[in-house]
Every structure is written in C-alpha cells, then in structure tokens.
Amino acid sequence: MALIKKKSFFVSLMILVAFFGAAVGGAVHKVGDSKGWTMMGVNYDAWASSRTFQVGDSLVFEYNKDYHDVSEVTPNNFELCVPTNPLERYETGSDTVTLTKAGVHNFICGFPDHCGIGQKLQIVVLPASLGPVAAPIPRPVRSPSLSLSPSPSPLANSPVNNDPRYLMGPAPAPHSAASNASSGIGSYFLISLLPFFILF
C-alpha cells in the first residue's frame, strides 16, 4: 500500500513538473531564420547578438544533411574550427537542440572548411526566469519647500535646512506589477494542483 502511495505521489509530482514546464515554456529560435544552417549568406554572430537565449529555449537547425551537420564543440575547438570529439553531433537535417545549461554554447558545421567560411554559431545562454520583470519606475523627488514663489525662503540657508537629516531623497520605488503577476501565476498553479496531493 505504501508503495502505491509513493508511486501515486511520484506521478503527481511528474504531472506538476510537466504542467509547470509547459506554463513557463521556452522560446524556439530557428538558426539563420529563413536561410537556416548554411555556410553562405548568414552572419551567425549578428543573428545571435539580436536575440536573448535562456535555459529552456530551443535552437532549430534546418539544413541539407548531405552537405552539412551540427557539432556542439568546446570553446577551443570552436575557435580552431575542429569538429573532432564533439560534445554532441546532429545529422538529421532538422535538429532541435534544447538549451539545458546556462553559459556559452558553441556550434560548428563539421564538413571540411565550412566552419572557416563562417558556418559557426556561439551563443550565451542565460539562466531561466519565471517571466519578465518590469523595471521599477522612480517617483519624482518632492521639493523640500512648499512655497510657490521663485524667491528663496529666508530659512533656505539656515543650518537646519542644510542638515543632512532634513534633506529629502528619492522616494522608494514602487513594487513591480510584473513581479506580482509572475509570483501570482506560480501560486495559482500550485494551489490548483493541491487537490492532487491531498488525494494521495
């Protein structure tokens, strides 16, 4: 009986992970856009610099498998265009690579001279985030004087007004609505799955 409960709990946990992964999801980047993975006509440095990559995103390499492949290589082999001992190799002509680790990832074509001509891609993968976080909007600084006249008040140069304890600084930034939304989504999701755990 205890084994059945453990299996049920494990299945529920896997469902939770699957739902959460689907809710967060990752972006799909088609390498080279409409031109795909080729040795001519695409500047992969420019292509990569125009995008942000995060853990959970996917790269889609589309190419003619008779003339190209995709090899994920070490940074040294990337610089030297050496396809031997790749970390991973793809050869189907339509490969999807899921980015599972943050850091620098290097891809080259292993066919002779293709990497040297420019069929190489280096990307920086950022850690996954739970959603966009808006930058806080600073509030305007309030004037220490309530006077509407442009002339300075007689107390403007008094020691009390120049004391740092009485100078007003910027107001604290408001709490971001986007961070409330992302934490609310996670909370709602966990609460909606709570009946699964109570049943087991």
Side-chain angles (χ1 to χ4, degrees):
M1 184 69 174
L3 182 60
I4 293 173
K5 283 190 176 184
K6 283 184 181 179
K7 284 185 179 181
S8 297
F9 177 74
F10 180 74
V11 169
S12 298
L13 187 60
M14 293 307 291
I15 291 171
L16 173 67
V17 169
F19 280 145
F20 190 74
V24 173
V28 177
H29 306 274
K30 183 179 175 193
V31 176
D33 296 324
S34 61
K35 293 187 179 182
W37 183 238
T38 181
M39 64 181 182
M40 311 254 319
V42 180
N43 180 336
Y44 292 106
D45 287 337
W47 180 87
S49 67
S50 68
R51 288 161 176 73
T52 301
F53 304 95
Q54 291 184 317
V55 170
D57 289 359
S58 298
L59 299 177
V60 176
F61 291 88
E62 290 187 358
Y63 55 94
N64 183 332
K65 67 180 184 175
D66 294 331
Y67 301 104
H68 305 289
D69 67 6
V70 180
S71 295
E72 185 169 4
V73 295
T74 64
N76 189 51
N77 285 357
F78 178 80
E79 292 301 323
L80 299 173
C81 286
V82 176
T84 55
N85 300 320
L87 303 172
E88 293 288 338
R89 186 169 179 177
Y90 307 93
E91 304 174 284
T92 69
S94 181
D95 303 306
T96 300
V97 178
T98 302
L99 304 171
T100 58
K101 289 188 231 171
V104 177
H105 294 256
N106 305 285
F107 302 92
I108 65 173
C109 179
F111 279 63
D113 299 323
H114 288 201
C115 175
I117 292 172
Q119 194 173 2
K120 58 195 290 190
L121 170 67
Q122 184 176 67
I123 62 170
V124 177
V125 179
L126 304 174
S129 81
L130 293 177
V133 178
I137 300 168
R139 292 183 182 165
V141 177
R142 289 186 231 145
S143 170
S145 171
L146 296 177
S147 171
L148 297 177
S149 68
S151 62
S153 121
L155 298 175
N157 294 323
S158 74
V160 171
N161 283 346
N162 290 325
D163 189 327
R165 292 177 295 172
Y166 299 107
L167 294 177
M168 297 184 74
H175 190 65
S176 168
S179 63
N180 282 343
S182 63
S183 63
I185 291 169
S187 300
Y188 174 76
F189 183 75
L190 291 176
I191 290 170
S192 66
L193 291 176
L194 190 59
F196 281 121
F197 294 108
I198 293 172
L199 293 174
F200 300 111

